Amino acid sequence: MFPLCPGPPSAQLGTTPNIKHIVVGRCYNYITVVNPGLRFDCEDIWRQFEESVVRQSSFNVTVDYHRMFYATPQTWPCDRCLFWSKTKRLVHSYTAVERHFWTLEDTLVGYMFNDLVWCGQEEDSGFDFSSCPAWAACRHHPVYSLWRQASQNFAEMACGNITVLLNGSISNAFNRKSMFGSVELDGLDPRRVDYVNIKVVTDLEGPFIESCSQGSVVDLIQILRSRGFRWTCTDNDETLMILQCIQNPKQSSCQKCANSFSLRRSLTFN
Ligand code: N1C
């Protein structure tokens, strides 16, 4: 059985226009501004990527990116890895505030390919800019294959305390078919990882479907236990709730918070 993946909305579109300029530009930005001092050959990385995708004439074969990964070796410190599932938007506002966390998009490969779409053509040797296969064929989808291989590497490297952010407003917050549930969880090594810290966050106004003691999160905890991981689980972490209030201050559950801020401000200014 292969996982069926919920696709990005752009899955039916063709390769992102100007993909080469975007990827090579992001690579230079990463090694020059984001992480100065890293020595990578951005042109070579692009070449390895392009060759993997365009050499692949059949959509029935999984694209093998190992040469590109070989050109982008990267290690990261323990205690920083942040995994997520169905919380992408929130997770990136969270890491913007909690800066010690690292998601896959903070690694070079994740940074270069985030939000892009690509595929080769059956008969031609270039990218297909007019359409790419539907995400339903995801096991062989070139975008899915890259995230799968990147996610596998990311999980295998994780060490110390790691964190997982799950969405408590959907059922199956922990989904065995998701990238986290099918690839990353199995890639984690209990000898390298001290604690798995689960954070379940709901939308401010609900629905409140899953929590640390309810739904699929309980299954995740069971799997972690059986594999010998130590774990913690937190419902509605305060920082995550405040971040949601900043994005949507009119929500009624934010009013208490807003009132206490305005009270404090009036105390300061009066
Ligand atoms: O299937 P998911 O979530 O559980 O995958 C998320 C999980 C994270 O922990 C990441 O480390 O897998 C990693 N990852 C990405 O970082 C990533 N960035 C963009 C996996 N997928 C990623 N994408 C795209 O989002 C990709 O197209 C993939 O299929 C979706 C997964 O999102 P999800 O279902 O919310």
Side-chain angles (χ1 to χ4, degrees):
M1 265 304 281
F2 57 82
L4 290 169
C5 335
S10 50
Q12 309 275 0
L13 299 176
T15 300
T16 308
N18 305 310
I19 188 166
K20 177 175 180 181
H21 295 293
I22 297 172
V23 170
V24 175
R26 284 182 180 176
C27 178
Y28 279 115
N29 191 46
Y30 190 87
I31 63 172
T32 315
V33 180
V34 180
N35 259 309
L38 286 182
R39 292 176 165 270
F40 286 116
D41 181 341
C42 294
E43 304 288 342
D44 183 52
I45 295 169
W46 170 261
R47 241 184 335 269
Q48 302 302 340
F49 167 75
E50 185 178 34
E51 276 177 21
S52 308
V53 178
V54 302
R55 216 196 288 124
Q56 197 71 69
S57 58
S58 164
F59 286 128
N60 294 328
V61 182
T62 305
V63 177
D64 181 353
Y65 293 99
H66 83 267
R67 284 160 164 274
M68 187 197 68
F69 283 106
Y70 191 72
T72 54
Q74 204 176 0
T75 51
W76 39 91
C78 291
D79 301 323
R80 297 183 67 172
C81 283
L82 176 58
F83 299 87
W84 50 269
S85 197
K86 306 289 177 290
T87 47
K88 188 174 183 191
R89 205 169 67 95
L90 184 59
V91 101
H92 292 121
S93 0
Y94 187 55
T95 54
V97 183
E98 298 280 4
R99 301 193 65 95
H100 63 281
F101 281 126
W102 262 50
T103 63
L104 183 49
E105 287 83 1
D106 296 303
T107 67
L108 176 60
V109 170
Y111 187 86
M112 286 191 298
F113 293 101
N114 195 20
D115 293 333
L116 304 182
V117 176
W118 61 89
C119 61
Q121 308 193 38
E122 289 274 0
E123 311 266 303
D124 202 317
S125 59
F127 288 93
D128 189 337
F129 288 96
S130 58
S131 75
C132 285
W135 199 251
C138 75
R139 189 189 177 193
H140 300 304
H141 196 291
V143 178
Y144 176 79
S145 305
L146 183 132
W147 287 114
R148 187 182 165 88
Q149 289 164 46
S151 300
Q152 175 93 36
N153 298 344
F154 189 57
E156 286 173 359
M157 285 279 260
C159 50
N161 292 333
I162 65 159
T163 304
V164 187
L165 192 59
L166 299 177
N167 184 347
S169 283
I170 57 172
S171 48
N172 287 326
F174 166 64
N175 186 339
R176 261 310 211 173
K177 292 176 179 165
S178 70
M179 202 70 87
F180 173 70
S182 65
V183 177
E184 293 177 324
L185 178 60
D186 295 339
L188 294 174
D189 180 349
R191 288 164 306 183
R192 290 172 58 84
V193 172
D194 293 329
Y195 269 94
V196 179
N197 299 314
I198 306 163
K199 291 180 192 291
V200 185
V201 62
T202 56
D203 294 344
L204 293 169
E205 307 292 289
F208 306 98
I209 297 180
E210 298 216 348
S211 68
C212 291
S213 55
Q214 205 172 330
S216 62
V217 183
V218 179
D219 302 336
L220 169 60
I221 292 171
Q222 187 49 43
I223 293 172
L224 292 174
R225 271 206 188 110
S226 68
R227 291 191 51 208
F229 288 102
R230 290 182 290 180
W231 57 275
T232 65
C233 188
T234 312
D235 288 317
N236 293 324
D237 173 282
E238 194 178 30
T239 308
L240 290 163
M241 302 314 278
I242 293 172
L243 271 175
Q244 292 193 75
C245 283
I246 293 169
Q247 283 160 5
N248 205 346
K250 299 236 149 49
Q251 298 265 16
S252 59
S253 47
C254 300
Q255 293 310 305
K256 212 173 103 201
C257 189
N259 290 343
S260 80
F261 280 134
S262 58
L263 177 67
R264 219 176 299 157
R265 208 173 37 203
S266 60
L267 286 174
T268 313
F269 293 124
N270 287 340

